[in-house]
C-alpha cells in the first residue's frame, strides 16, 4: 500500500500494519499455488499476512501529515462557507434586483448593482431590519 494512503487511513483513525511485499508474495504463492498477481489475490494475501503474523510494524501518523490534514480540512471548510455566502447573496440579489441577478457572482461584477439596491439599503438598519410601516 502506498505511503500516502497509509497515512490517510491512519489520520482517519484506522489501524494500519506495514506488510512487507516479499511476505505478501510468499503468502500469495502458498495460498493460490501459483504466483499470478491480481488485485483480489493480492488483497487477500496481504490481509492473511496481517492477521496471522505478529511483530509487523504499525504505521504511525507523520507529524506533518496531521498538520496538513488540519489545513486541508480548514480549506474545505472555508470553501463551503464561501459557497454558502455566495448562495445567500445571490438569493438576496434576485429579490432586490428587478429581473433577478446573474448566475455567476463576483465582487467586481456586482459592485455596480449597489446603486440599484440603494433604495432598499436606505431603510435597512445595521441588522437588516425591515422598514417601519
Amino acid at each position: 500500500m502506498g505511503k500516502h494512503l497509509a497515512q490517510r487511513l491512519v489520520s482517519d483513525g484506522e489501524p494500519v500494519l506495514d506488510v512487507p511485499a516479499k511476505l505478501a508474495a510468499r503468502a500469495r504463492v502458498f495460498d493460490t499455488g501459483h504466483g499470478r498477481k491480481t488485485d483480489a489475490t493480492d488483497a487477500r494475501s496481504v490481509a492473511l499476512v496481517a492477521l496471522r503474523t505478529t511483530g509487523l510494524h504499525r504505521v504511525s501518523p507523520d507529524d506533518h501529515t496531521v498538520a496538513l490534514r488540519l489545513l486541508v480540512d480548514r480549506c474545505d471548510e472555508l470553501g463551503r462557507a464561501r459557497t454558502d455566502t455566495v448562495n445567500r447573496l445571490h438569493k438576496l440579489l434576485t429579490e432586490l434586483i428587478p429581473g433577478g441577478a446573474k448566475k455567476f457572482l463576483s465582487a467586481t461584477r456586482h459592485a455596480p448593482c449597489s446603486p440599484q439596491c440603494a433604495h432598499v439599503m436606505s431603510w435597512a438598519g445595521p441588522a437588516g431590519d425591515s422598514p417601519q410601516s
Side-chain angles (χ1 to χ4, degrees), residues 63-108:
D63 291 336
H64 67 275
T65 302
V66 173
L68 286 174
R69 178 62 183 254
L70 291 172
L71 289 172
V72 167
D73 289 346
R74 179 64 179 149
C75 183
D76 291 343
E77 189 178 299
L78 288 172
R80 285 190 298 272
R82 180 193 176 282
T83 301
D84 291 344
T85 302
V86 168
N87 288 340
R88 284 195 310 272
L89 177 62
H90 186 261
K91 181 179 182 286
L92 289 172
L93 288 175
T94 57
E95 293 171 359
L96 296 176
I97 298 173
K102 292 185 179 177
K103 203 174 213 177
F104 301 103
L105 298 179
S106 74
T108 56

Side-chain angles (χ1 to χ4, degrees), residues 47-61:
L48 288 173
V49 169
L51 286 173
R52 296 180 181 166
T53 306
T54 58
L56 290 176
H57 171 72
R58 188 177 197 115
V59 178
S60 59

Side-chain angles (χ1 to χ4, degrees), residues 19-29 42 45-46 49:
V19 176
K22 284 187 178 184
L23 195 55
R26 198 175 305 146
R28 184 177 59 246
V29 170
D42 201 31
S45 64
V46 168
V49 169

